[in-house]
């Protein structure tokens, strides 16, 4: 618990560690009422440190110190100081062995950092600063040591697999930072497979899960093998140990963790079966398994010098997993999904009080910096390097990076330098992407000179102010574009008058505040297709007419921009309806465009499914107008929706292929639209789909459609039957909670209160909290933003309640309130007062303190 005001940590204060650790020997004694940890460290002064007489300072958190010995001799009380968060030994030799014994209480650890218990199993989570909850240690990623771990205990003794009991000694030959340490002990079943590497080594692959989950491992195991192959083929990275293990645990703050050789997963991010997991979950599992596996190189073999460099591993690894997912399915669809997340959530973060650069300059609590900016914008920054260099030079750069820094703890700058050195490109200005926060805005204007046949584009860039940063410099922005002729054909882009064989797409580079480009030989005014593939994480402003957007929607050869044109058109139509009377006309051309799409059987159906998804409420922050457009579309297109539904029904046995996923997605979208207007035929389709479904995607699609409809008795019956059927499956119950909490029909505040009282709800389980409280505040915007402020007060109550037991989760839940300044005065005043109430809670955690104080700062 915090006793003094949290301190701010600055990147500019970085100093190399005063002591290095060569080896760590850990022995765990696990009991029902606690655990004893014997830690023996071989330490020496760091020759690179100028603090030649610094005392030894080890980090600790919530530890009971039992003894300290130096070179085998017990230290007396006066020889060391236990400050609670630090163990200080003033006088130590150049090189020495320190043995520390601590007592911890995993069974009472509700923060889920360090060693804790989840459904009777012991497990650890050490990133970012959880290792200090296990033993005193220099808990920073630039201290890399060789770890040897033994564990024994009464109930959980682990030996060679005998009746599910094991005894384990685990020696990791690769020096690693302590945040990658992991231990799991419990009554688990094992699933085995093997992978043969490119150099013909056989790797033992194992998954450990609770016995009831034994049949839900295949998808993750297959995903793992695909990831291992892909990293060899695309990055030349071979796995380095003889064994790779995955464990599933129910109580986990994050999605998954890349501990060396022993990845630990939130059950919801790894377990799947046809009956219990949706297509979305299947895809997410594949991506997360890949992500954690890819960290073995981008994160573990080459790690971060300090936590300001977090995006070095996370941004790069998200880029790698998104390339992988693109290769496994449809690149366009994957790009649309990534950009949707970036534009709805990361742009909001970048424009709010928690805005920070991809490489932050300061933080109070590092757990608060596992953000969309570090992850998603960080991945976009790496993607831009890939775009600027091209795939071959990028690969040369990543090879150089891995080779040059193998076994080291490095910075984002080292990454960029490797890319520069391998490619010969100058990325000095590009580095501003790591230093400047805020989403750049590109104002694009054009003019066409019919006499000369010249089309000129002018692009002005500006970067908004963010907390602590003003007057930003122009950044280096890759800007891909094409031009379409009146017949819809792509035009050659001649930058010089005489240029022959010009390409129809170009990757321009913006480096100045204003740039103009002239395209020659253009016979009539073209329609510009700007920022293709979303070549940079920026906002593009251009005065598109609805006519131009409709044109791009059906002609742009870039699938991403086709989708984007549809989104812009929908946004424009929805926004023009804000405050309009209920019977205001809704753009008939939008209806016709959607009619064409629904009936289009030629276009990639996965793209059609995406194009039919209206921009989210979170993106628009407009509920009523969006709703009106949706209902209008559903009413006008009813016949087409039913035809589309029927066209995509059946289709043979269940498969998880891109085609089958697209079919289910389209069918369920059609169903959702029909139930938006309480259509009777839709209702019958939903009820029969629910009873006939042989997979969770269809079952959940029908349930969600009914829950969001006005058919109250069907809704309740469907929810009850669903629960009854799946009540023993925590991952399905989580989906059942969130479908209600996110629904403006079934998720009004009294409903949410009831869900919190439900026997399956558990305040100790982060997934349950996210699926009720998180889904309500993050997705059920109509109910959360109830004008009476009750949604805000509710959230404040839950944050205060969680702050004591799990501060990481509490701090994340605050996010929707941090946007208070963006709302109309009557709302923002109530959001602000909810934040103030959290601020005034006594003993506030550092996690919540930082978010709340930054949100309220002027
Ligand atoms: N290293 C993180 C997990 C982590 C984050 C642990 C913060 C402790 C604190 C892991 O590699 C990760 O990024 N996981 C993501 C999923 C991934 C697919 C982006 C997660 O857990 O959400
Ligand atoms: Zn990661």
């Amino acid at each position: 618990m915090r006793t003094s005001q949290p301190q701010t940590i600055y990147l500019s204060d970085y100093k190399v560690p005063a002591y290095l650790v060569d080896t760590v020997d850990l022995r765990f004694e696990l009991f029902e009422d606690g655990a004893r940890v014997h830690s023996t460290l071989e330490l020496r002064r760091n020759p690179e440190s100028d603090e030649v007489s610094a005392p030894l300072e080890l980090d600790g958190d919530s530890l009971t110190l039992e003894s300290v010995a130096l070179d085998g001799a017990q230290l007396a009380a006066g020889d060391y100081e236990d400050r609670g968060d630090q163990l200080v030994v003033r006088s130590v030799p150049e090189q020495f062995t320190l043995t520390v014994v601590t007592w911890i209480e995993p069974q009472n650890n509700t923060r889920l950092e360090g060693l804790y218990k989840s459904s009777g199993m012991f497990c650890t989570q050490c990133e970012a600063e959880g290792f200090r909850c296990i033993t005193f240690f220099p808990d920073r990623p630039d201290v890399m040591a060789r770890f040897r771990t033994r564990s024994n205990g009464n109930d959980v003794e682990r030996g060679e697999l005998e009746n599910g009991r094991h005894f384990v000694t685990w020696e990791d030959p690769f020096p690693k930072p302590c945040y990658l340490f992991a231990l799991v002990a419990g009554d688990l079943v094992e699933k085995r497979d093997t992978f043969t590497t490119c150099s013909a080594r056989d790797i033992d692959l194992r998954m450990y899960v609770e016995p009831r989950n034994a049949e839900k491992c295949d998808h993750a195991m297959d995903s793992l093998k695909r990831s291992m192959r892909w990293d060899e083929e695309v990055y030349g990275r071979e796995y380095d140990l003889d064994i790779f293990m995955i464990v599933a645990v129910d109580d986990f703050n994050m999605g998954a963790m890349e501990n060396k050789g022993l990845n630990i997963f939130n059950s919801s991010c790894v377990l799947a079966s046809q009956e219990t997991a949706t297509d979305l979950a299947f895809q997410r599992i594949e991506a997360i398994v890949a992500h954690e596996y890819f960290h073995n190189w981008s994160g573990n073999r080459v790690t971060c010098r300090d936590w300001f460099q977090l995006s070095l591993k996370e941004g790069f690894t998200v880029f790698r997993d998104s390339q992988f997912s693109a290769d496994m399915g449809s690149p366009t669809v994957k790009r649309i999904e990534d950009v949707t997340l970036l534009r709805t959530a990361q742009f909001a973060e970048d424009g709010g009080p928690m805005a920070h650069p991809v490489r932050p300059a300061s933080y109070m609590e590092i757990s608060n910096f596992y953000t969309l900016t570090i992850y998603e914008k960080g991945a976009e920054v790496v993607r831009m390097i890939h775009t600027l260099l091209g795939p071959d030079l990028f690969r040369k750069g990543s090879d150089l990076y891995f080779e040059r820094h193998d076994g080291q703890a490095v910075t984002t700058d080292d990454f960029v330098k490797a890319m520069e050195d391998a490619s010969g490109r100058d990325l000095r200005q590009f580095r501003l992407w790591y230093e400047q926060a805020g989403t750049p805005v590109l104002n694009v204007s054009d003019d066409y000179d019919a006499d000369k046949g010249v089309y000129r584009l002018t692009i002005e860039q500006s970067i908004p102010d963010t907390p602590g940063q003003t007057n930003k410099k122009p950044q280096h922005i890759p800007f891909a574009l094409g031009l379409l002729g009146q017949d819809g054909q792509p035009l050659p882009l001649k930058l010089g008058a005489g240029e022959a064989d010009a390409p129809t797409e170009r990757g321009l580079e913006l480096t100045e505040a204003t740039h103009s480009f002239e395209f020659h030989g253009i016979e009539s005014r073209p329609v510009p297709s700007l920022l293709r593939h979303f070549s940079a994480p920026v906002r593009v402003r251009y005065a598109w007419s609805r006519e131009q957007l409709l044109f791009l929607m059906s002609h742009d050869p870039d699938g991403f921009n086709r989708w984007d044109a549809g989104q812009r058109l929908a946004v424009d139509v929805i926004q023009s309806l804000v405050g309009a009377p209920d019977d205001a006309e809704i753009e008939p051309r939008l209806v016709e465009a959607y009619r064409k799409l629904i009936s289009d059987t030629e276009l990639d159906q996965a793209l059609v499914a995406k194009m039919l998804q209206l921009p989210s409420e979170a993106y628009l922050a407009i509920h009523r107008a969006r709703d009106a457009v949706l209902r209008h579309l559903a009413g006008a297109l009813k016949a087409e929706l039913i035809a589309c539904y029927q066209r995509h029904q059946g289709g043979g046995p269940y498969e998880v292929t891109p085609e089958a996923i697209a079919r289910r997605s389209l069918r369920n979208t059609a169903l959702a639209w029909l139930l938006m207007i309480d259509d009777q035929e839709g209702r019958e389709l939903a009820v029969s789909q629910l009873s006939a479904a042989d997979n969770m995607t269809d079952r959940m699609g029908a349930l969600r459609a009914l829950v969001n409809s006005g058919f109250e008795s069907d809704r309740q019956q469907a929810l009850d039957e669903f629960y009854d059927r799946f009540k023993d499956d925590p991952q399905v119950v989580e989906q059942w909670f969130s479908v209600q909490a996110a629904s403006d029909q079934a998720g009004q505040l009294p409903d949410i209160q009831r869900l919190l009282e439900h026997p399956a709800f558990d305040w100790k389980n982060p997934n349950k909290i996210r699926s009720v409280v998180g889904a309500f505040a993050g997705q059920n915007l109509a109910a959360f933003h109830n004008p009476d402020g009750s949604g805000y007060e509710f959230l404040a109550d839950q944050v205060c309640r969680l702050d004591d037991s799990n501060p990481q989760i509490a701090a994340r839940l605050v996010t929707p309130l941090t946007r208070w300044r963006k709302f109309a005065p009557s709302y923002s005043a109530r959001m602000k007062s909810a934040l103030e109430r959290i601020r005034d809670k006594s003993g506030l955690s550092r996690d919540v303190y930082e978010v709340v104080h930054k949100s309220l700062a002027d």
Side-chain angles (χ1 to χ4, degrees):
M1 192 62 34
R2 189 176 63 80
T3 47
S4 56
Q5 192 156 308
Q7 299 294 302
T8 300
I9 323 274
Y10 295 93
L11 168 59
S12 55
D13 288 343
Y14 175 82
K15 284 201 211 113
V16 299
Y19 292 86
L20 301 177
V21 183
D22 291 317
T23 64
V24 184
D25 197 301
L26 293 170
R27 192 158 59 80
F28 287 83
E29 293 179 84
L30 306 172
F31 307 100
E32 284 303 318
D33 63 342
R36 183 167 290 112
V37 184
H38 304 254
S39 158
T40 302
L41 311 178
E42 283 178 22
L43 290 133
R44 64 189 155 94
R45 284 186 192 272
N46 182 0
E48 266 152 43
S49 167
D50 49 22
E51 300 172 281
V52 288
S53 55
L56 174 70
E57 296 175 344
L58 304 178
D59 303 298
D61 186 347
S62 318
L63 303 171
T64 303
L65 181 62
E66 291 193 340
S67 66
V68 190
L70 196 124
D71 287 329
Q74 290 296 328
L75 291 187
D79 298 336
Y80 63 88
E81 193 188 339
D82 177 3
R83 298 185 186 156
D85 62 351
Q86 261 186 348
L87 172 65
V88 183
V89 187
R90 296 231 156 255
S91 136
V92 293
E94 277 299 300
Q95 187 161 357
F96 55 100
T97 302
L98 193 79
T99 303
V100 179
V101 181
T102 48
W103 175 258
I104 54 180
E105 297 189 345
Q107 75 281 6
N108 298 327
N109 180 347
T110 55
R111 284 160 55 191
L112 315 185
E113 289 178 273
L115 179 64
Y116 63 93
K117 267 185 132 171
S118 171
S119 337
M121 120 171 65
F122 287 93
C123 69
T124 56
Q125 171 53 42
C126 294
E127 188 179 359
E129 297 179 334
F131 192 72
R132 63 184 66 183
C133 307
I134 296 175
T135 184
F136 285 103
F137 196 80
D139 190 357
R140 44 187 291 170
D142 56 353
V143 171
M144 297 169 82
R146 283 205 317 278
F147 280 70
R148 187 168 93 128
T149 309
R150 285 168 295 161
S151 121
N152 55 32
N154 311 329
D155 300 340
V156 283
E157 192 155 299
R158 308 186 66 177
E160 269 318 296
L161 282 175
E162 256 183 325
N163 319 326
R165 296 171 139 218
H166 334 202
F167 177 89
V168 168
T169 298
W170 171 253
E171 225 173 314
D172 188 341
F174 295 97
K176 69 183 171 200
C178 64
Y179 82 84
L180 289 172
F181 166 82
L183 172 141
V184 174
D187 200 357
L188 304 172
V189 294
E190 183 184 64
K191 290 274 159 180
R192 284 187 180 224
D193 209 326
T194 48
F195 176 81
T196 307
T197 71
C198 50
S199 70
R201 290 169 42 243
D202 282 336
I203 314 294
D204 209 345
L205 308 180
R206 302 188 192 177
M207 284 184 68
Y208 293 94
V209 299
E210 288 175 47
R212 63 188 164 84
N213 293 322
E215 303 314 312
K216 291 184 176 181
C217 297
D218 293 351
H219 179 64
M221 190 65 99
D222 290 342
S223 302
L224 175 61
K225 289 186 281 183
R226 287 194 289 274
S227 309
M228 296 178 87
R229 186 64 70 218
W230 186 91
D231 212 16
E232 292 182 346
E233 288 174 0
V234 179
Y235 280 85
R237 301 291 118 201
E238 185 182 354
Y239 187 61
D240 52 7
L241 295 170
D242 299 330
I243 176 167
F244 185 87
M245 298 177 277
I246 284 180
V247 181
V249 302
D250 283 351
D251 303 308
F252 202 72
N253 281 344
M254 301 291 290
M257 177 64 208
E258 71 265 25
N259 316 298
K260 184 83 189 184
L262 176 56
N263 288 2
I264 299 181
F265 280 68
N266 186 321
S267 296
S268 72
C269 295
V270 67
L271 302 174
S273 70
Q274 173 177 343
E275 290 77 27
T276 62
T278 59
D279 292 338
L280 202 72
F282 271 89
Q283 288 172 316
R284 205 171 126 72
I285 289 165
E286 180 179 65
I288 302 189
V289 168
H291 177 97
E292 306 310 336
Y293 173 73
F294 295 157
H295 270 315
N296 191 54
W297 278 95
S298 49
N300 301 2
R301 288 289 286 257
V302 182
T303 195
C304 301
R305 186 190 73 172
D306 53 73
W307 293 118
F308 297 100
Q309 319 299 327
L310 181 58
S311 198
L312 173 77
K313 74 176 178 82
E314 295 302 348
F316 185 23
T317 305
V318 170
F319 173 65
R320 277 152 53 70
D321 80 57
S322 73
Q323 285 182 300
F324 167 77
S325 297
D327 284 355
M328 296 299 118
S330 151
T332 301
V333 168
K334 175 62 180 160
R335 191 68 189 132
I336 289 169
E337 287 164 353
D338 289 349
V339 173
T340 301
L341 176 64
L342 192 82
R343 285 209 291 221
T344 45
Q346 195 278 325
F347 281 16
E349 183 171 277
D350 232 355
M354 288 293 289
H356 56 276
V358 169
R359 189 196 61 200
S362 68
Y363 60 77
M364 286 182 187
E365 170 52 61
I366 187 57
S367 301
N368 287 331
F369 281 74
Y370 287 75
T371 60
L372 290 146
T373 300
I374 301 296
Y375 277 72
E376 312 305 323
K377 187 175 182 180
E380 292 297 319
V381 170
V382 177
R383 173 183 294 276
M384 288 189 284
I385 298 179
H386 185 273
T387 302
L388 292 169
L389 268 55
D392 297 340
L393 288 176
F394 183 87
R395 168 65 194 271
K396 242 180 108 187
S398 69
D399 283 351
L400 180 61
Y401 168 74
F402 288 126
E403 184 195 339
R404 190 184 267 178
H405 299 297
D406 192 8
Q408 298 177 4
V410 304
T411 64
T412 55
D413 213 50
D414 292 318
F415 179 81
V416 178
K417 188 80 173 58
M419 289 292 164
E420 268 180 331
D421 290 350
S423 67
R425 288 222 44 172
D426 178 350
L427 297 174
R428 266 174 299 182
Q429 185 186 7
F430 187 85
R431 283 176 169 80
L432 289 171
W433 279 106
Y434 288 93
E435 293 157 28
Q436 299 190 144
T439 307
V441 177
L442 303 184
N443 277 307
V444 182
S445 57
D446 57 354
D447 75 87
Y448 176 61
D449 184 334
D451 295 339
K452 296 200 183 115
V454 171
Y455 176 71
R456 186 187 314 117
L457 268 182
T458 303
I459 306 171
E460 277 173 57
Q461 62 161 301
S462 61
I463 307 173
D465 291 349
T466 45
Q469 277 192 343
T470 53
N471 295 321
K472 296 175 198 186
K473 301 189 189 112
Q475 291 181 179
H476 184 174
I477 301 175
F479 189 85
L481 91 168
L483 298 176
L484 302 188
Q486 309 229 299
D487 55 357
Q489 288 304 305
L491 303 175
L493 306 177
K494 301 181 189 167
L495 286 169
E499 194 181 335
D501 293 332
T504 57
E505 178 174 311
R506 275 187 188 272
L508 304 176
E509 294 185 24
L510 313 177
T511 51
E512 325 251 318
T514 306
H515 255 284
S516 277
F517 299 92
E518 284 189 352
F519 301 96
H520 296 258
I522 308 284
E523 277 159 20
S524 58
R525 180 176 268 279
V527 177
S529 165
L530 305 172
L531 201 77
R532 279 193 174 161
H533 337 291
F534 205 69
S535 60
V538 300
R539 291 181 202 270
V540 173
R541 300 225 174 101
Y542 172 79
W544 276 286
S545 65
R546 288 187 181 174
E547 210 52 62
Q548 285 177 314
L549 292 172
L550 287 157
F551 184 84
L552 290 172
M553 255 179 104
S554 47
H555 296 296
D556 202 317
D558 178 36
F560 175 84
N561 266 9
R562 266 187 185 219
W563 168 82
D564 195 36
Q567 295 285 295
R568 285 179 195 274
L569 180 64
V571 169
D572 186 41
V573 170
I574 292 167
Q575 274 171 350
S576 70
L577 285 171
V578 174
D582 283 349
D583 57 354
E585 196 203 27
I586 289 175
E587 173 65 82
R589 288 175 298 179
L590 182 74
V591 181
E592 290 322 305
Y594 273 71
R595 193 189 306 280
K596 214 172 105 195
L597 265 176
I598 299 176
S599 317
D600 192 333
T601 51
E602 298 293 295
L603 199 58
D604 173 7
Q605 297 294 290
L607 183 58
V608 173
K610 286 286 168 209
M611 292 189 76
L612 288 177
Q613 238 89 100
L614 287 193
S616 75
E617 266 181 82
Y619 183 62
L620 289 161
I622 304 165
H623 179 70
R624 244 170 57 92
R626 180 181 185 272
D627 233 47
V629 170
L630 251 179
R631 284 175 208 281
H632 181 80
L633 286 171
L637 303 174
K638 188 184 150 178
E640 286 82 358
L641 289 168
I642 291 177
C644 171
Y645 183 93
Q646 281 159 349
R647 197 164 61 241
H648 292 291
Q649 212 165 11
Y654 176 82
E655 283 183 310
V656 190
T657 58
E659 298 71 36
I661 292 172
R663 269 210 319 276
R664 284 190 285 272
S665 166
L666 267 174
R667 177 150 43 93
N668 285 313
T669 303
L671 196 61
W673 285 28
L674 289 167
L675 279 126
M676 282 284 298
I677 50 169
D678 293 344
D679 179 74
Q680 277 301 336
E681 235 169 305
R683 170 192 178 190
E684 280 154 33
L685 292 174
V687 170
S688 65
Q689 176 170 320
L690 197 53
S691 62
D694 68 349
N695 65 84
M696 187 49 81
T697 305
D698 287 337
R699 195 181 294 277
M700 195 41 92
L703 181 69
R704 175 171 291 114
L706 282 170
V707 165
N708 289 326
S709 78
F711 299 120
E712 215 176 312
S713 65
D714 294 290
R715 175 205 309 163
Q716 204 46 55
Q717 193 184 343
L719 282 168
D720 292 346
E721 284 175 12
F722 186 99
Y723 181 75
D724 220 47
R725 185 181 190 115
F726 292 106
K727 57 178 177 299
D728 297 325
D729 189 313
Q731 286 77 56
V732 182
V733 172
E734 284 153 19
Q735 300 176 63
W736 180 81
F737 274 132
S738 67
V739 77
Q740 297 174 73
S743 157
D744 57 357
Q745 299 285 330
Q748 292 302 310
L749 200 48
D751 305 310
I752 304 296
Q753 300 279 15
R754 250 193 316 281
L755 293 180
L756 296 182
E757 301 296 319
H758 193 278
F761 189 82
D762 175 3
W763 282 105
K764 293 207 188 69
N765 179 257
N767 291 3
K768 300 291 183 301
I769 297 163
R770 278 186 281 259
S771 63
V772 177
V773 187
F776 170 72
Q779 294 170 53
N780 193 351
L781 301 198
F784 176 61
H785 294 287
N786 189 317
D788 66 7
S790 56
Y792 311 146
E793 292 305 319
F794 168 80
L795 187 61
D797 288 342
Q798 312 320 316
V799 169
C800 290
R801 152 172 212 157
L802 272 165
D803 184 56
D804 295 322
S805 58
N806 191 330
Q808 279 187 25
I809 298 295
R812 281 179 185 265
L813 285 181
V814 179
T815 308
L817 287 173
T818 66
R819 316 263 192 259
W820 63 279
R821 281 196 172 82
K822 305 274 181 211
F823 289 83
S826 63
Y827 293 89
S828 70
R830 290 187 162 90
M831 295 172 87
K832 184 171 180 233
S833 80
L835 279 170
E836 286 165 343
R837 193 152 65 76
I838 302 173
R839 179 195 61 197
D840 296 339
K841 173 189 172 267
S842 69
L844 201 61
S845 69
R846 188 166 44 179
D847 308 57
V848 175
Y849 179 100
E850 177 172 35
V851 178
V852 169
H853 278 258
K854 287 184 174 172
S855 302
L856 289 169
D858 322 293

